[in-house]
Amino acid sequence: MWRASIVGLWLLLLASTAQAQEREAAVAEGERLFRVQGCYGCHTVGRFGTPIGPDLSRVGFKYSKEYLVRWLSDPAAQRPSAHMPKLELDPAEIEALAAYLATRR
C-alpha cells in the first residue's frame, strides 16, 4: 500500500515539474515575442521600451493571464476606444505573450 502511495506521489511531482517547465518556456517565449514583435515601441517593461502606451512592468498585478489573452487577441473588442492595434499573432504566441505579461508583478 505505501509503495503505491510513494509511486503516486512521485508521478504527481513529475507532472508538476513538467508543468512548471512548460510555464517557464511559455514565459521565455513571451518575453522574446515582446522584443521581436516590437511591443517595446509603445510600452515599457522596467527600463526597457518607449512610454507611449501604458507601462507594463506590473501589469500582472492588475490583469489575469486569461484577460491578457482576450486583450491581445482583439484589443478593440475589449475596449473600442483602445489605440492598440490587433496583433498578427497566432493563438500559441498570444498565450505565450500573455504568460510573460502575467508574470510582470
Side-chain angles (χ1 to χ4, degrees), residues 8-69:
L9 185 59
W10 183 78
L11 290 173
L12 183 62
L13 181 61
L14 187 60
S16 176
T17 301
Q19 288 175 341
Q21 289 173 340
E22 287 176 18
R23 276 192 305 272
E24 288 176 21
V27 169
E29 175 63 7
E31 184 175 11
R32 185 190 76 78
L33 286 167
F34 186 86
R35 283 182 276 120
V36 301
Q37 291 294 321
C39 302
Y40 62 85
C42 294
H43 299 282
T44 55
V45 170
R47 295 181 183 213
F48 178 68
T50 307
I52 293 171
D55 181 348
L56 301 178
S57 298
R58 298 173 61 81
V59 70
F61 268 130
K62 190 171 183 181
Y63 299 108
S64 69
K65 178 183 173 243
E66 293 75 23
Y67 175 83
L68 292 168
V69 166

Side-chain angles (χ1 to χ4, degrees), residues 59-94:
V59 70
F61 268 130
K62 190 171 183 181
Y63 299 108
S64 69
K65 178 183 173 243
E66 293 75 23
Y67 175 83
L68 292 168
V69 166
R70 288 192 308 273
W71 174 263
L72 294 169
S73 297
D74 191 358
Q78 300 303 308
R79 188 166 13 119
S81 63
H83 294 287
M84 183 166 161
K86 186 171 182 177
L87 303 173
E88 297 293 324
L89 299 174
D90 65 43
E93 291 171 323
I94 289 172

